[in-house]
């Protein structure tokens, strides 16, 4: 019943775990203290590689020794998790991280040095077992998907693309009004045939449905993907592989708010706390196509801000070249704007500061109340990939207007407008942010 | 580009709106006051039909007259929405309810009787426009999907099933490791061929992935569906159609907690506040296969409770026959239980009372603190379809243990256990709750 692809992935994974654990056995046989050595998964060891435009783990290593009282528990948790995963692989299973948490959760009772009976849990919360899985990923230099650990998966795709998954060949241009739900192990997909010029990733499933139904991908030779909100690992890996292997541009269409900008950021550079994944999950060439603040407001607000000498100086210092940006005209009329925009919440403001840093916010926010709300974020410098003239302009307009806008508002101007004008025009004129 | 199926759905929808609006024109031409008449969408007009096992709207009607100052706004909102949807249909669009909210949102300025300029918004929040869409659905006797209103869609399916959707014929047994994402308008699907004995609906996407990958649906001739949490309209309609048209039993596999029980309830009877949909969305034959409280604890706890004469009297009164239930043995050992169960939260307790009524809770809860927490729910009688001996036993055990359990805990006993023993055994022995 099980596909040959899974069978070979399984035996590969078993070998990887076996050879890593063999090292421990060798240490013991040599009389050494059993020790695990793996890259450090800390923020200080997370580096943004400007050349590859990716978050990567740095060179720092950490050791987990069985005989060190501070490390013994972590050492044992790691070995416990490795053995559970090993057993699952051997038993033809496909555990989830929730499963693995349950499988390993139990109490160990032992006699302490002073003769007391002590009982300790392997782990209490899933947070703990998840962290152990991450340790194993960096220890073994694999992603959990390579160990056939599955997870829920929201990503969908349609387009002129033929894939082989499991034992089936699937034509993703023949999905009717439905779509193909991406598998949780996208590295096991084989791309058989493709006829596309770019990949359009839509944040919202409902907008994906509209564009799909309208025939957008046929008309524009696009591969249409939705992440249905915050993208999961499989969707990110799928987009990355497709763009890399066929050298296709990736455009992200998300809401015009810090949450939408963050979704672009996760596709492009990955999560800052899970940088070890980025090397395989991030798509550094991904471009934000919209909805931009400048699509809503144009850039007159921004030009007014940088008329102020002091503001201009600070913003030029943060991103040289910001005063040379080409002017932009909005897609929305005054009355559409007033019907469509939504007031930003404190959480939006805070997230925006996390993206771009406190200084941009300080220069652009006029409202006192809003200024106070983000005081606690003072000192934040923002993510390197957001510190570009275009993004600073976008965020500056956000901070000044304290407004946001959903893709649906663009669709409500007419699906024709969204599908036949807005998206194709932005792509053909290069009106995106890299 | 647009499929012929959509074209015909579109022209049908246009006709329905046109003929309904023609009535208004006729009223005006006859010199009558323009009035809309539609079934009342209130709780008092919501009836549980014991024969069809469904929530339905009762016979009460409501009128919306243009010339009644209290109804004029609602009347105009309804006509505004009808005209927006009509335009969208004519323009080959596929709006979402969010779209429709944006499309209609604007201010109307007019002179009041006393000569003042007054400005009023068509609607302010989506709650308002959504309610207008529901009014239109009952006015026109259609579901919004019949008007080609799309929405996000989480449901997925795999199995020996061939469908026609749009212009494509799709074999749902050839989806590789991925799945088929159900379209938002499942009434436009044509079932071409099927070879299955039952439909298994899994609440959790991650468990769906595991069972799919394990080949469960091939081995058991099942159509495997996931709602990925709370089911959306399309998934419910898809399951209903499939079960009805092929007379297939539907089994729901959800977490063992009031939230999981509620998911079964939505599939089976529909939402109590949206009963007008149930006629087409609910699957009254759906059975809850697990995870049951009795799968975890057996029924000794329950038998202890009904040893008490007073408790037995009350529970017999609520559901005659409760003392005749066959005994049940648990699937979990003592130590598995202690590792797997999760403490129920106040929200779980409250939801459980909503399902089964306050009296069952009162009889079964021993803990004082928990008793106090649900005091405010006093008087609730529960849903009719939960007032059965089996469900009362389940909830009684829940109230007594204040514990819940996830499907993943069952999977962590081994996917083999879940796929080859637990599910097939429960189905073959009829160990479900109707």
């Amino acid at each position: 019943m099980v596909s040959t692809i899974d069978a070979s992935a399984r035996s590969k994974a078993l070998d990887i775990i076996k050879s890593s654990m063999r090292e421990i056995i060798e240490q013991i046989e040599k009389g050494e203290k059993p020790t695990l050595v793996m890259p450090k998964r800390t923020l200080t060891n997370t580096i943004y590689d400007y050349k590859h435009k990716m978050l990567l783990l740095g060179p720092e290593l950490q050791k987990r020794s069985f005989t060190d009282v501070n490390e013994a528990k972590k050492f044992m948790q790691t070995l416990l998790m490795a053995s559970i995963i090993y057993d699952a692989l051997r038993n033809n299973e496909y555990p989830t991280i929730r499963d693995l948490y349950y499988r390993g959760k139990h109490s160990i009772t032992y006699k302490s040095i002073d003769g007391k009976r002590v009982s300790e849990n392997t782990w209490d919360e899933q947070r703990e077992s998840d962290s152990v899985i991450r340790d194993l990923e960096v220890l073994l230099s694999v992603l959990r998907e390579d160990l056939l650990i599955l997870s829920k998966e929201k990503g969908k795709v349609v387009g002129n693309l033929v894939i082989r998954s499991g034992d089936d060949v699937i034509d993703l241009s023949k999905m009717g009004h439905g779509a193909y739900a991406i598998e949780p192990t996208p590295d096991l997909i084989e791309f058989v045939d493709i006829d596309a010029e770019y990949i359009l990733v839509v944040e919202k499933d409902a907008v994906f449905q509209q564009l799909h139904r309208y025939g957008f991908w046929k008309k524009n030779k696009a591969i249409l993907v939705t992440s249905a909100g915050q993208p999961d690992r499989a969707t990110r890996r799928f987009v990355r592989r497709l763009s890399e292997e066929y050298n296709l541009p990736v455009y992200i269409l998300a809401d015009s708010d810090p949450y939408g900008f963050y979704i672009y950021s996760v596709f492009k550079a990955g999560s800052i706390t899970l940088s070890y994944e980025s090397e395989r999950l991030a798509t550094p060439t991904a471009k934000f196509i919209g909805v931009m603040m400048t699509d809503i407001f144009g850039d007159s607000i921004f030009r007014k801000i940088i008329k102020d000498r002091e503001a201009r100086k600070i913003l030029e210092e943060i991103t040289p070249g910001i005063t040379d940006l080409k002017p932009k005209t909005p897609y929305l009329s005054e009355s559409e704007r007033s019907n469509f925009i939504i007031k930003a919440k404190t959480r939006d403001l805070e997230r925006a500061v996390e993206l771009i840093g406190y200084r941009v916010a300080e220069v652009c926010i006029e409202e006192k109340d809003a200024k106070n709300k983000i005081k606690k974020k003072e000192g934040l410098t923002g993510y390197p990939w957001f510190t570009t003239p275009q993004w600073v302009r976008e965020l500056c307009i956000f901070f000044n207007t304290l407004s946001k806008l959903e893709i649906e508002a663009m669709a409500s101007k007419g699906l024709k407008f969204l599908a036949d004008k807005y998206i194709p025009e932005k792509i053909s004129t290069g009106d995106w942010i890299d």
Side-chain angles (χ1 to χ4, degrees), chain A:
Chain A
M1 295 269 182
V2 166
S3 75
T4 48
I5 287 172
D6 272 9
S8 86
R10 209 173 274 285
S11 90
K12 213 165 130 191
L14 282 166
D15 284 347
I16 290 169
I17 297 179
K18 221 185 292 177
S19 75
S20 172
M21 293 305 128
R22 193 170 294 131
E23 284 174 35
I24 304 286
I25 296 171
E26 282 166 11
Q27 288 170 356
I28 296 170
E29 286 175 346
K30 281 190 218 155
E32 291 169 8
K33 293 173 181 173
T35 305
L36 297 165
V37 181
M38 61 187 94
K40 226 179 191 170
R41 287 194 300 108
T42 58
L43 272 185
T44 53
N45 194 35
T46 297
I47 289 161
Y48 182 65
D49 181 328
Y50 279 87
K51 197 181 147 216
H52 298 99
K53 293 185 172 176
M54 257 185 216
L55 283 168
L56 299 173
L57 280 188
E60 291 176 44
L61 295 175
Q62 67 176 344
K63 287 184 183 185
R64 295 255 168 85
S65 173
F66 177 58
T67 54
D68 184 321
V69 88
N70 293 316
E71 298 167 8
K73 181 164 181 180
K74 275 273 184 189
F75 178 93
M76 289 192 286
Q77 284 178 329
T78 312
L79 260 58
L80 171 65
M81 185 58 88
S83 79
I84 296 170
I85 295 173
Y86 191 82
D87 284 344
L89 284 165
R90 282 183 43 131
N91 289 326
N92 284 319
E93 303 203 85
Y94 300 88
T96 63
I97 55 173
R98 187 80 183 145
D99 268 358
L100 295 172
Y101 156 73
Y102 280 120
R103 287 180 191 215
K105 190 175 168 237
H106 63 271
S107 299
I108 297 169
T109 310
Y110 60 96
K111 255 195 193 133
S112 70
I113 296 174
D114 48 5
K116 279 187 201 146
R117 269 178 71 89
V118 185
S119 177
E120 194 155 353
N121 289 345
T122 49
W123 40 69
D124 287 302
E125 286 177 46
Q126 199 187 330
R127 219 167 2 100
E128 272 183 89
S129 60
D130 283 357
S131 170
V132 177
I133 294 170
R134 288 194 195 104
D135 283 346
L136 263 179
E137 287 181 280
V138 296
L139 175 72
L140 304 175
S141 292
V142 296
L143 291 182
R144 61 187 72 162
E145 290 80 2
D146 299 324
L147 306 174
L148 291 179
I149 297 171
L150 303 189
S151 54
K152 74 171 174 195
E153 172 45 41
K154 298 178 301 175
K156 299 179 197 172
V157 55
V158 282
N160 289 322
L161 173 63
V162 178
I163 65 170
R164 190 191 312 272
S165 166
D167 295 327
D168 300 323
V169 172
I170 307 144
D171 185 343
L172 305 189
S173 72
K174 302 271 180 237
M175 289 290 127
H177 297 151
Y180 185 68
I182 300 166
E183 67 172 274
T185 48
D187 268 301
L188 302 184
I189 293 174
E190 182 194 332
F191 298 125
V192 176
D193 195 17
I194 188 167
D195 180 20
E197 283 168 13
Y198 60 85
I199 303 165
L200 180 69
V201 179
V202 186
E203 170 194 350
K204 290 204 165 145
D205 187 285
V207 177
F208 169 88
Q209 303 283 358
Q210 290 180 288
L211 291 173
H212 173 25
R213 204 69 167 249
Y214 192 70
F216 177 87
W217 58 269
K218 285 183 190 160
K219 220 167 167 176
N220 294 277
K221 280 206 174 180
I223 305 290
L224 192 63
V225 174
T226 182
S227 59
Q230 189 64 39
D232 47 45
R233 298 164 56 105
T235 311
R236 287 156 65 198
R237 179 66 189 149
F238 182 84
V239 168
R240 157 70 175 276
R241 275 199 59 200
L242 201 55
S243 82
E244 192 173 53
E245 292 171 32
Y246 293 97
N247 205 13
L248 290 178
V250 174
Y251 302 107
I252 314 279
L253 181 65
D255 286 345
S256 192
D257 61 31
Y259 190 78
F261 305 157
Y262 184 70
I263 284 174
Y264 149 82
S265 170
V266 171
F267 269 111
K268 190 179 183 71
S271 151
I272 205 144
T273 50
L274 296 171
S275 55
Y276 72 93
E277 317 169 330
S278 303
E279 208 173 323
R280 279 170 65 191
L281 301 188
T283 307
T285 57
K287 290 156 181 62
F288 185 75
I289 190 183
V291 179
M292 298 182 194
M293 286 284 155
T294 44
D295 294 339
I296 311 166
F297 294 101
D299 66 349
S300 56
I301 293 162
F302 174 73
R303 275 182 282 130
K304 226 175 87 190
I305 292 170
I306 56 166
K307 264 204 182 135
D308 176 274
R309 232 185 102 191
E310 190 57 26
R312 193 169 62 236
K313 211 186 111 195
I314 294 170
L315 295 178
E316 262 291 351
E317 199 185 297
I318 296 169
T319 48
I322 192 162
T323 47
D324 307 332
L325 284 171
K326 270 185 276 174
K328 279 210 51 176
T329 48
Y331 279 90
L332 296 184
S333 70
E334 185 73 42
S335 74
E336 284 168 341
R337 254 201 303 276
S338 74
N339 283 327
F340 294 166
I341 57 174
I342 302 170
K343 219 177 130 32
K345 292 191 179 132
T346 308
R347 188 71 204 92
D348 297 311
L349 264 174
E350 289 175 349
R351 191 178 277 275
V353 177
E354 284 159 21
L355 299 180
I356 202 85
Y358 184 74
R359 287 188 72 201
V360 174
E362 206 187 17
V363 169
C364 303
I365 294 182
E366 292 202 326
E367 231 188 79
K368 261 202 175 154
D369 187 37
K371 253 195 170 111
N372 286 332
K373 274 180 185 157
I374 55 159
K375 261 279 184 277
K376 59 179 165 188
K377 301 274 172 187
E378 215 174 324
L380 280 189
T381 54
Y383 299 148
W385 54 97
F386 273 104
T387 319
T388 65
Q390 278 183 299
W391 272 118
V392 168
R393 175 167 71 175
E394 291 296 316
L395 271 301
C396 224
I397 297 172
F398 170 78
F399 285 126
N400 190 272
T401 58
L402 301 174
S403 298
K404 46 187 197 167
L405 187 125
E406 294 182 303
I407 323 175
E408 283 94 329
M410 284 291 179
S412 78
K413 264 180 75 97
L415 190 50
K416 271 197 188 68
F417 165 77
L418 181 70
D420 294 339
K421 182 175 162 66
Y422 181 76
I423 301 173
E425 187 174 296
K426 296 205 77 168
I427 289 177
S428 68
T429 62
D431 184 13
W432 61 65
I433 312 182
D434 202 350

